[in-house]
Amino acid sequence: MRGAARSATLRAMIRTLATISLVAMLAACASHPAPDAAAAATSATPAAAATNALAGTPMAAYGHDLNKAKDVQNIVNEQAKKQAAQIDAATGSSG
C-alpha cells in the first residue's frame, strides 16, 4: 500500500514540475513592453539607410552597431599599419 501511495505522490510531483516548467518557458517567450521614451532618447540612432545594410528591417538598430564595429576595426588596422611602419623604420627592415 505504501508503494502505491509513493508512486502516486511521485507522479503528482512530476506533473507539477512539468507544469511549472511549461509555464516558465511560456513566460520567457512572452513579448516584452517597448522601451520608454527616456531610454529611446539615450540610445544611439541607427545608421543612415545608405550605410546601413539592415535599414528598413526590424534589425536596423543592429546595422548601426555593425557600422560602429567596422569603424573601430578600421582604426585598429590603421594603427597596426603605423606601428608596423615604425618598427620597420627602427629595425631597418623592409616588409
Side-chain angles (χ1 to χ4, degrees), residues 82-95:
K82 288 178 184 177
Q83 185 178 19
Q86 288 174 347
I87 292 171
D88 288 345
T91 59
S93 63
S94 59

Side-chain angles (χ1 to χ4, degrees), residues 5-21:
R6 285 185 181 160
S7 179
T9 303
L10 183 60
R11 272 189 247 122
M13 288 173 50
I14 290 173
R15 245 184 253 130
T16 303
L17 182 61
T19 303
I20 291 171
S21 298

Side-chain angles (χ1 to χ4, degrees), residues 9 12 18 31 35-36 40 51-52 54 57 65 67-68 77 79-80 84 87 94:
T9 303
S31 64
D36 60 346
T51 60
N52 190 349
L54 301 173
T57 68
D65 294 336
N67 288 338
K68 283 176 57 177
N77 291 344
Q79 289 175 345
I87 292 171
S94 59

Side-chain angles (χ1 to χ4, degrees), residues 43-48 51-54 59-71:
S43 68
T45 57
T51 60
N52 190 349
L54 301 173
M59 297 184 62
Y62 296 110
H64 176 65
D65 294 336
L66 180 63
N67 288 338
K68 283 176 57 177
K70 287 179 182 179
D71 291 341

